[in-house]
């Protein structure tokens, strides 16, 4: 069975298959990596973890010049020399193209490769803010192939199977990547022909997705890809009424006013922490999980997490004890045992980018702006654009497609809060904005 040529493939493979063949050689054999990972040709979801973990291990070995491997606690790196290893990167790219070529003939790998291309090869190269158009287009084709392989394009598929096969996320990633790639080609690359091709494909994909029962009228109005929100599976009435950025956050989300009231205290602890120029980076290394390639540079986005899943990190809290004490007072955080919840300081480096992505659902996010420099600095959330203002809280639904651009002059710092969604009945009586004709398909406990 071979991968069908999709809507994007016609232009992609005319342009890229010759260079792909030059990269991997003329052999169409099985890459050694396939045997090493014991990949399945039947169950595509079974291939997700081994392929993703292999790319994760190799990626961090490259960017840290280290020897990385997985154990029962996750990714561990030793012999860290620091700096970027160009030789290892070239080898990683070579193996990526070999596996991509094999995937064209083996669609059971399409979903895993689509996620890996998006996760580890979104940017064109080290410290480049240009999107890697070839890998992004290939990721679209692989996501569409995975929909066909898994039966996720079958309108008669029952809802339980639709969610078990992860169809709801396959469709959403396809829509995110195709629409954001089209935007990039049109507005930044100025490739109008390429943008027209990709956006036409994205519109066709979107129309097909809307025919699936899981994306029916119960989700509320979906007119463009950027209306997609993962929270629609749980609390669609709230998503319809509030949108990507909550307009009355101080009224509807109590923690928003609480954070603004304690702005001076929280900011003072951040400033004290920054008094040691290396401490923030060290705390980032101690608390940040190995994450995909969010920005072109590994230090575009640094974090110091005080709490995750209602478990406070006392080592980090020792550097901001009053901030941690304040967070302990908030049930949205301190009593939210979801693995998706947490809070900490975030730093965004000038010149940095965060690629388009979804936050995990169900949850809600808030940013208390602590230090905001001059210059162009904004976040796109769904169809809206927001900018930070020191001392003010932005509450937004990060399960919409969102991305960040920082063309300012100095680092931006916020207190980030990922909280249990206010419509979750496990955390009290849901407010009025949680009620409406739209009905969620998943209970909050499904995550």
């Amino acid at each position: 069975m071979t991968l069908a040529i999709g809507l994007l493939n016609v232009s992609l493979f005319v342009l890229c298959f010759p260079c792909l063949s030059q990269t991997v050689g003329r052999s169409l054999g099985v890459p050694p990596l396939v045997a090493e990972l014991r990949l399945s040709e039947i169950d595509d979801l079974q291939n997700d973890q081994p392929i993703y973990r292999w790319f994760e291990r190799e990626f961090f070995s490259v960017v840290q010049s280290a020897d990385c491997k997985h154990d029962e606690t996750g990714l561990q790196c030793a012999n860290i020399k620091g700096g970027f290893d160009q030789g290892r990167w070239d080898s990683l790219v070579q193996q990526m193209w070999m596996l991509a070529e094999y995937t064209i003939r083996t669609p059971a790998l399409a979903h895993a490769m689509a996620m890996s291309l998006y996760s580890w090869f979104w940017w064109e190269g080290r410290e480049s803010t240009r999107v890697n158009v070839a890998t992004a287009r290939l990721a679209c084709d692989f996501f569409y192939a995975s929909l066909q392989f898994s039966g996720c394009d079958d309108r008669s598929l029952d809802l339980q199977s639709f969610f078990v096969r992860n169809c709801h996320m396959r469709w959403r990633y396809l829509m995110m990547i195709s629409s954001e790639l089209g935007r990039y080609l049109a507005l930044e690359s100025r490739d109008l022909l390429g943008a027209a091709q990709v956006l036409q494909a994205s519109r066709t994909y979107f129309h097909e997705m809307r025919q699936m029962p899981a994306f029916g009228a119960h989700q509320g109005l979906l007119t463009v890809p950027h209306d997609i929100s993962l929270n629609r599976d749980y609390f669609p009435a709230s998503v319809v009424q509030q949108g990507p950025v909550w307009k009355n956050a101080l009224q509807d989300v109590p923690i928003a006013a609480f954070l603004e009231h304690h702005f001076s205290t929280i900011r003072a602890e951040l400033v004290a922490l920054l008094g040691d120029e290396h401490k923030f980076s060290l705390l980032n290394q101690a608390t940040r999980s190995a994450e995909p390639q969010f920005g072109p540079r590994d230090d575009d986005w640094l974090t110091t997490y005080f709490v995750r899943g209602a478990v406070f990190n006392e080592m980090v809290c020792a550097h901001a004890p009053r901030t941690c004490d304040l967070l302990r007072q908030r049930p949205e955080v301190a009593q939210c045992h979801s693995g998706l919840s947490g809070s900490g300081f975030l730093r965004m480096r000038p010149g940095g980018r965060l690629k388009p992505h979804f936050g995990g659902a169900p949850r809600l996010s808030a940013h208390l702006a602590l230090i905001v420099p001059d210059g162009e600095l904004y976040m796109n959330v769904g169809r809206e654009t927001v900018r930070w203002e020191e001392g003010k809280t932005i509450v937004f639904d990060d399960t919409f497609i969102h991305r960040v651009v920082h063309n300012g002059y100095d680092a931006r710092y916020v207190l980030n809060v990922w909280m249990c969604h206010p419509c979750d009945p496990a955390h009290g009586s849901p407010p009025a904005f949680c009620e409406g004709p739209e009905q969620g398909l998943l209970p909050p406990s499904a995550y």
Side-chain angles (χ1 to χ4, degrees):
M1 185 176 183
T2 57
L3 184 149
I5 298 296
L7 290 166
L8 299 181
N9 292 55
V10 174
S11 58
L12 172 64
F13 286 110
V14 167
L15 295 174
C16 295
F17 197 81
C19 56
L20 187 151
S21 299
Q22 293 171 12
T23 302
V24 303
R26 298 191 179 277
S27 170
L28 295 179
V30 179
L33 182 60
V34 172
E36 175 189 333
L37 298 180
R38 299 179 180 179
L39 301 175
S40 171
E41 294 189 5
I42 300 173
D43 184 352
D44 67 340
L45 294 180
Q46 181 180 318
N47 295 325
D48 284 355
Q49 188 175 53
I51 289 179
Y52 184 90
R53 283 163 63 95
W54 185 86
F55 276 113
E56 178 185 55
R57 183 188 74 200
E58 295 303 309
F59 180 84
F60 282 99
S61 295
V62 166
V63 299
Q64 297 185 10
S65 293
D67 298 323
C68 299
K69 63 181 181 180
H70 289 92
D71 61 20
E72 63 277 2
T73 64
L75 185 72
Q76 303 295 331
C77 294
N79 302 321
I80 299 175
K81 302 178 182 66
F84 187 85
D85 190 322
Q86 187 65 48
R88 279 181 167 179
W89 176 253
D90 293 341
S91 175
L92 176 59
V93 171
Q94 173 86 359
Q95 294 186 75
M96 179 271 288
W97 283 117
M98 290 178 65
L99 198 55
E101 186 276 327
Y102 181 72
T103 302
I104 294 169
R105 298 175 282 123
T106 315
L109 275 61
H111 184 256
M113 277 302 294
M115 283 302 304
S116 293
L117 290 171
Y118 163 71
S119 297
W120 309 109
F121 299 96
W122 178 260
W123 305 105
E124 198 170 88
R126 183 191 179 205
E127 298 198 4
S128 172
T129 59
R130 296 188 299 271
V131 172
N132 190 326
V133 175
T135 55
R137 296 187 73 157
L138 193 55
C140 290
D141 287 324
F142 284 164
F143 269 119
Y144 192 71
S146 84
L147 289 165
Q148 296 173 317
F149 179 81
S150 61
C152 291
D153 61 342
D154 182 357
R155 298 181 199 177
S156 66
L157 185 66
D158 65 274
L159 286 174
Q160 181 175 346
S161 297
F162 191 87
F163 283 99
V164 168
R165 297 181 191 180
N166 209 30
C167 301
H168 59 307
M169 293 307 301
R170 297 180 199 240
W171 278 111
R172 284 162 168 154
Y173 271 102
L174 173 61
M175 295 318 311
M176 176 180 69
I177 296 172
S178 60
S179 61
E180 284 288 326
L181 176 60
R183 182 208 60 80
Y184 170 80
L185 289 170
L187 299 181
E188 297 185 43
S189 184
R190 304 296 183 183
D191 178 1
L192 299 185
L193 177 59
Q197 292 172 340
V198 172
L199 291 174
Q200 178 57 47
S202 185
R203 283 192 291 271
T204 304
Y205 293 147
F206 186 72
H207 176 74
E208 187 175 352
M209 182 194 79
R210 292 290 281 116
Q211 308 309 308
M212 301 297 116
F215 298 104
H218 62 275
Q219 287 230 337
L221 192 63
L222 287 173
T223 58
V224 296
H226 284 78
D227 290 334
I228 291 171
S229 163
L230 276 58
N231 276 334
R232 284 184 186 266
D233 291 337
Y234 304 89
F235 313 115
S238 167
V239 173
V240 170
Q241 294 184 49
Q242 298 288 358
V245 181
W246 289 41
K247 304 301 183 295
N248 298 308
L250 296 180
Q251 170 186 320
D252 294 336
V253 186
I255 196 173
F258 178 85
L259 294 175
E260 290 189 6
H261 180 73
H262 294 285
F263 163 74
S264 298
T265 298
I266 298 170
R267 189 182 189 278
E269 291 203 314
L270 170 66
V271 171
L273 179 61
L274 297 178
D276 183 334
E277 62 176 320
H278 301 297
K279 190 174 292 183
F280 199 96
S281 295
L282 291 173
L283 291 174
N284 170 74
Q285 294 175 20
T287 65
R288 183 178 175 184
S289 303
E291 292 166 326
Q293 183 197 37
F294 271 174
R297 302 167 296 192
D298 188 50
D299 63 348
D300 274 347
W301 189 69
L302 296 187
T303 68
T304 60
Y305 279 104
F306 305 118
V307 56
R308 282 183 180 270
V311 178
F312 282 81
N313 187 321
E314 299 303 334
M315 183 270 290
V316 181
C317 283
H319 298 282
R322 291 177 293 173
T323 299
C324 285
D325 286 345
L326 291 170
L327 292 171
R328 286 189 176 96
Q329 299 175 33
R330 301 306 311 180
E332 308 95 320
V333 178
Q335 296 175 27
C336 181
H337 295 277
S338 164
L340 299 172
S341 68
S343 181
F345 293 142
L346 301 184
R347 187 196 86 172
M348 188 72 181
R349 173 178 166 176
R353 301 287 188 275
L354 286 188
K355 69 183 179 185
H357 61 286
F358 296 109
R363 75 176 182 199
L364 198 61
S365 294
H367 282 180
L368 173 64
L370 300 174
I371 299 176
V372 181
D374 293 332
E376 183 187 38
L377 176 57
Y378 61 89
M379 175 170 59
N380 298 129
V381 188
R383 289 197 264 177
E384 299 189 32
T385 299
V386 294
R387 292 170 175 83
W388 294 268
E389 181 182 348
E390 286 187 10
K392 301 299 182 181
T393 302
I394 298 171
V395 174
F396 63 102
D397 182 344
D398 76 332
T399 74
F400 279 86
I401 300 168
H402 61 291
R403 55 190 286 272
V404 180
V405 172
H406 184 353
N407 292 326
Y409 304 106
D410 295 296
R412 180 226 65 183
Y413 293 88
V414 302
L415 176 70
N416 177 55
V417 177
W418 290 324
M419 70 193 87
C420 280
H421 199 284
C423 294
D424 187 343
H427 298 279
S429 179
F433 57 73
C434 301
E435 302 299 327
E438 304 83 10
Q439 297 297 317
L441 295 178
L442 297 176
S445 58
Y447 183 78

PDB file of all heavy atoms in Angstrom, residues 2 43 66 94 98 102 113 124 145 214 225 389 418 427:
ATOM      1  N   THR A   2       0.588   2.205  -0.869  1.00  0.00           N
ATOM      2  CA  THR A   2       1.388   3.416  -0.949  1.00  0.00           C
ATOM      3  C   THR A   2       0.566   4.611  -0.525  1.00  0.00           C
ATOM      4  O   THR A   2      -0.669   4.588  -0.552  1.00  0.00           O
ATOM      5  CB  THR A   2       1.912   3.647  -2.371  1.00  0.00           C
ATOM      6  OG1 THR A   2       0.794   3.708  -3.259  1.00  0.00           O
ATOM      7  CG2 THR A   2       2.834   2.519  -2.789  1.00  0.00           C
ATOM      8  N   ASP A  43      -0.866  -0.878  12.878  1.00  0.00           N
ATOM      9  CA  ASP A  43      -1.370   0.032  13.908  1.00  0.00           C
ATOM     10  C   ASP A  43      -0.532   1.302  13.891  1.00  0.00           C
ATOM     11  O   ASP A  43       0.580   1.332  14.417  1.00  0.00           O
ATOM     12  CB  ASP A  43      -1.307  -0.647  15.272  1.00  0.00           C
ATOM     13  CG  ASP A  43      -1.899   0.210  16.389  1.00  0.00           C
ATOM     14  OD1 ASP A  43      -2.224   1.390  16.130  1.00  0.00           O
ATOM     15  OD2 ASP A  43      -2.025  -0.295  17.513  1.00  0.00           O
ATOM     16  N   ALA A  66      25.246  16.480  23.527  1.00  0.00           N
ATOM     17  CA  ALA A  66      25.194  15.586  24.683  1.00  0.00           C
ATOM     18  C   ALA A  66      24.849  14.173  24.234  1.00  0.00           C
ATOM     19  O   ALA A  66      24.551  13.911  23.065  1.00  0.00           O
ATOM     20  CB  ALA A  66      24.148  16.087  25.673  1.00  0.00           C
ATOM     21  N   GLN A  94      19.461  13.897   7.549  1.00  0.00           N
ATOM     22  CA  GLN A  94      19.575  12.820   6.562  1.00  0.00           C
ATOM     23  C   GLN A  94      18.655  11.650   6.928  1.00  0.00           C
ATOM     24  O   GLN A  94      17.930  11.129   6.075  1.00  0.00           O
ATOM     25  CB  GLN A  94      21.032  12.332   6.522  1.00  0.00           C
ATOM     26  CG  GLN A  94      21.284  11.104   5.672  1.00  0.00           C
ATOM     27  CD  GLN A  94      21.538  11.438   4.216  1.00  0.00           C
ATOM     28  OE1 GLN A  94      21.514  12.605   3.840  1.00  0.00           O
ATOM     29  NE2 GLN A  94      21.806  10.422   3.414  1.00  0.00           N
ATOM     30  N   MET A  98      15.268  10.065   4.983  1.00  0.00           N
ATOM     31  CA  MET A  98      15.170   8.643   4.664  1.00  0.00           C
ATOM     32  C   MET A  98      13.864   8.056   5.186  1.00  0.00           C
ATOM     33  O   MET A  98      13.177   7.305   4.481  1.00  0.00           O
ATOM     34  CB  MET A  98      16.363   7.885   5.252  1.00  0.00           C
ATOM     35  CG  MET A  98      17.694   8.174   4.593  1.00  0.00           C
ATOM     36  SD  MET A  98      19.065   7.301   5.380  1.00  0.00           S
ATOM     37  CE  MET A  98      18.627   5.603   5.038  1.00  0.00           C
ATOM     38  N   TYR A 102      10.491   6.613   3.112  1.00  0.00           N
ATOM     39  CA  TYR A 102       9.913   5.308   3.409  1.00  0.00           C
ATOM     40  C   TYR A 102       8.432   5.444   3.782  1.00  0.00           C
ATOM     41  O   TYR A 102       7.609   4.595   3.426  1.00  0.00           O
ATOM     42  CB  TYR A 102      10.693   4.642   4.546  1.00  0.00           C
ATOM     43  CG  TYR A 102      10.188   3.264   4.927  1.00  0.00           C
ATOM     44  CD1 TYR A 102      10.395   2.166   4.092  1.00  0.00           C
ATOM     45  CD2 TYR A 102       9.502   3.065   6.124  1.00  0.00           C
ATOM     46  CE1 TYR A 102       9.932   0.903   4.442  1.00  0.00           C
ATOM     47  CE2 TYR A 102       9.041   1.810   6.479  1.00  0.00           C
ATOM     48  CZ  TYR A 102       9.263   0.731   5.639  1.00  0.00           C
ATOM     49  OH  TYR A 102       8.792  -0.509   5.989  1.00  0.00           O
ATOM     50  N   MET A 113       5.213  10.388  11.617  1.00  0.00           N
ATOM     51  CA  MET A 113       6.125  11.278  10.904  1.00  0.00           C
ATOM     52  C   MET A 113       5.566  12.689  10.802  1.00  0.00           C
ATOM     53  O   MET A 113       6.315  13.669  10.895  1.00  0.00           O
ATOM     54  CB  MET A 113       6.416  10.717   9.522  1.00  0.00           C
ATOM     55  CG  MET A 113       7.505   9.663   9.512  1.00  0.00           C
ATOM     56  SD  MET A 113       9.085  10.276  10.184  1.00  0.00           S
ATOM     57  CE  MET A 113       9.531  11.513   8.962  1.00  0.00           C
ATOM     58  N   GLU A 124      13.407  26.451   9.608  1.00  0.00           N
ATOM     59  CA  GLU A 124      14.291  26.099   8.497  1.00  0.00           C
ATOM     60  C   GLU A 124      15.667  25.676   8.949  1.00  0.00           C
ATOM     61  O   GLU A 124      16.332  24.872   8.302  1.00  0.00           O
ATOM     62  CB  GLU A 124      14.391  27.296   7.541  1.00  0.00           C
ATOM     63  CG  GLU A 124      14.895  26.958   6.168  1.00  0.00           C
ATOM     64  CD  GLU A 124      14.739  28.126   5.226  1.00  0.00           C
ATOM     65  OE1 GLU A 124      15.682  28.963   5.164  1.00  0.00           O
ATOM     66  OE2 GLU A 124      13.694  28.230   4.566  1.00  0.00           O
ATOM     67  N   ALA A 145      -2.809  11.654   4.896  1.00  0.00           N
ATOM     68  CA  ALA A 145      -2.669  10.221   4.650  1.00  0.00           C
ATOM     69  C   ALA A 145      -3.035   9.409   5.885  1.00  0.00           C
ATOM     70  O   ALA A 145      -3.643   8.343   5.786  1.00  0.00           O
ATOM     71  CB  ALA A 145      -1.236   9.901   4.220  1.00  0.00           C
ATOM     72  N   ALA A 214     -18.235  14.563  14.673  1.00  0.00           N
ATOM     73  CA  ALA A 214     -17.601  15.147  15.859  1.00  0.00           C
ATOM     74  C   ALA A 214     -17.452  16.661  15.750  1.00  0.00           C
ATOM     75  O   ALA A 214     -17.264  17.342  16.766  1.00  0.00           O
ATOM     76  CB  ALA A 214     -16.230  14.514  16.093  1.00  0.00           C
ATOM     77  N   PRO A 225     -10.430  27.689  10.029  1.00  0.00           N
ATOM     78  CA  PRO A 225      -9.605  26.847  10.898  1.00  0.00           C
ATOM     79  C   PRO A 225      -9.268  27.475  12.242  1.00  0.00           C
ATOM     80  O   PRO A 225      -9.146  26.765  13.241  1.00  0.00           O
ATOM     81  CB  PRO A 225      -8.348  26.615  10.048  1.00  0.00           C
ATOM     82  CG  PRO A 225      -8.834  26.683   8.631  1.00  0.00           C
ATOM     83  CD  PRO A 225      -9.894  27.749   8.648  1.00  0.00           C
ATOM     84  N   GLU A 389       0.435  44.310  28.668  1.00  0.00           N
ATOM     85  CA  GLU A 389       0.574  45.595  29.336  1.00  0.00           C
ATOM     86  C   GLU A 389       0.931  45.329  30.785  1.00  0.00           C
ATOM     87  O   GLU A 389       0.229  44.591  31.474  1.00  0.00           O
ATOM     88  CB  GLU A 389      -0.735  46.383  29.245  1.00  0.00           C
ATOM     89  CG  GLU A 389      -0.681  47.749  29.901  1.00  0.00           C
ATOM     90  CD  GLU A 389      -2.007  48.484  29.825  1.00  0.00           C
ATOM     91  OE1 GLU A 389      -2.895  48.035  29.082  1.00  0.00           O
ATOM     92  OE2 GLU A 389      -2.147  49.508  30.537  1.00  0.00           O
ATOM     93  N   TRP A 418      -1.766  28.145  34.157  1.00  0.00           N
ATOM     94  CA  TRP A 418      -2.642  27.167  33.504  1.00  0.00           C
ATOM     95  C   TRP A 418      -3.565  26.631  34.587  1.00  0.00           C
ATOM     96  O   TRP A 418      -3.112  26.021  35.550  1.00  0.00           O
ATOM     97  CB  TRP A 418      -1.851  26.024  32.899  1.00  0.00           C
ATOM     98  CG  TRP A 418      -1.025  26.388  31.702  1.00  0.00           C
ATOM     99  CD1 TRP A 418      -1.331  27.283  30.724  1.00  0.00           C
ATOM    100  CD2 TRP A 418       0.248  25.834  31.337  1.00  0.00           C
ATOM    101  NE1 TRP A 418      -0.342  27.337  29.782  1.00  0.00           N
ATOM    102  CE2 TRP A 418       0.648  26.447  30.132  1.00  0.00           C
ATOM    103  CE3 TRP A 418       1.086  24.872  31.913  1.00  0.00           C
ATOM    104  CZ2 TRP A 418       1.839  26.132  29.494  1.00  0.00           C
ATOM    105  CZ3 TRP A 418       2.275  24.564  31.276  1.00  0.00           C
ATOM    106  CH2 TRP A 418       2.642  25.188  30.080  1.00  0.00           C
ATOM    107  N   HIS A 427     -15.081  21.611  40.090  1.00  0.00           N
ATOM    108  CA  HIS A 427     -14.502  22.722  40.844  1.00  0.00           C
ATOM    109  C   HIS A 427     -15.549  23.775  41.173  1.00  0.00           C
ATOM    110  O   HIS A 427     -15.253  24.972  41.215  1.00  0.00           O
ATOM    111  CB  HIS A 427     -13.335  23.322  40.052  1.00  0.00           C
ATOM    112  CG  HIS A 427     -12.223  22.353  39.812  1.00  0.00           C
ATOM    113  ND1 HIS A 427     -11.267  22.073  40.762  1.00  0.00           N
ATOM    114  CD2 HIS A 427     -11.959  21.554  38.760  1.00  0.00           C
ATOM    115  CE1 HIS A 427     -10.436  21.159  40.285  1.00  0.00           C
ATOM    116  NE2 HIS A 427     -10.830  20.821  39.077  1.00  0.00           N
TER     117      HIS A 427
END
